[in-house]
Amino acid sequence: MDEKRYYVYILSNHSNTTLYIGVTGNINRRMYEHKNGLIDGFTKRYNVTKLVYAEYCADVKAAIEREKQLKRWRREKKNELINSINPEWKDLTED
């Protein structure tokens, strides 16, 4: 049986002024949906489509807890987390 993978991810807009934190079991499909405006809501409204951070979680409960934790963080701490793996804030879907 294939192991299900879960990711907590952070998206940003082009100017890196707006962040969105989400959870998915299929990062490639989810990024396609965000980039093509297939999901109504915050990311579509504010054009938040640049993947700047992604973190693997072993199970869905851990992923949801991590998402909640990151959402509680202050912006400065979120920036530090992103900078720790992606200091230039490049779109990770382009690599």
Side-chain angles (χ1 to χ4, degrees):
M1 185 162 103
D2 286 348
E3 175 186 333
K4 185 78 171 162
R5 296 182 167 267
Y6 297 93
Y7 294 88
V8 177
Y9 62 96
I10 302 176
L11 303 180
S12 182
N13 61 342
H14 180 71
S15 58
N16 299 326
T17 56
T18 305
L19 296 180
Y20 171 84
I21 300 172
V23 171
T24 185
N26 185 330
I27 192 90
N28 294 324
R29 177 187 50 79
R30 191 68 169 154
M31 287 312 306
Y32 178 84
E33 292 168 350
H34 282 303
K35 287 184 176 290
N36 291 283
L38 302 178
I39 303 165
D40 287 331
F42 184 86
T43 58
K44 184 175 179 179
R45 189 175 320 120
Y46 295 100
N47 198 29
V48 180
T49 61
K50 185 169 66 167
L51 180 66
V52 293
Y53 180 85
E55 178 179 318
Y56 169 75
C57 292
D59 64 70
V60 69
K61 287 182 181 179
I64 291 168
E65 282 305 310
R66 181 64 168 158
E67 176 195 29
K68 289 177 183 178
Q69 177 187 45
L70 296 181
K71 286 183 174 185
R72 288 190 301 265
W73 285 6
R74 297 177 64 104
R75 175 64 191 246
E76 298 80 28
K77 194 168 179 181
K78 294 173 189 175
N79 289 352
E80 288 175 14
L81 180 65
I82 296 164
N83 287 331
S84 73
I85 67 150
N86 187 5
E88 296 178 16
W89 288 53
K90 291 181 181 177
D91 187 342
L92 299 176
T93 62
E94 295 176 1
D95 290 337

